[in-house]
Amino acid sequence: MIIARDQPSRLAFAYGSATRQGARESQQDAISAFERDGRVYVALADGVGGRPGGAEAAGVAVDAA
């Protein structure tokens, strides 16, 4: 759900991220959370199941956000 507001919210946010390796040899998922203009944005990209380039693809997607 996206709520549009004319004024920034006065709520305070705390955010972080964590990963769990699982059964694969490497973690390909990427996440980023950031604030801009009084709003909090979260970008999450899923890797491609251990295939070559999955980590790079997820990183590029999150960086583009």
Side-chain angles (χ1 to χ4, degrees):
M1 174 191 296
I2 298 173
I3 300 173
R5 302 178 197 268
D6 292 334
Q7 300 176 7
S9 173
R10 291 191 170 103
L11 295 175
F13 290 93
Y15 50 86
S17 66
T19 61
R20 192 179 93 182
Q21 184 63 37
R24 302 202 193 286
E25 291 182 16
S26 65
Q27 176 59 273
Q28 292 189 333
D29 303 339
I31 187 169
S32 178
F34 54 93
E35 295 179 49
R36 184 175 296 146
D37 299 326
R39 298 172 193 259
V40 175
Y41 298 87
V42 176
L44 172 65
D46 192 15
V48 290
R51 301 204 184 250
E56 291 81 8
V60 167
V62 167
D63 289 344

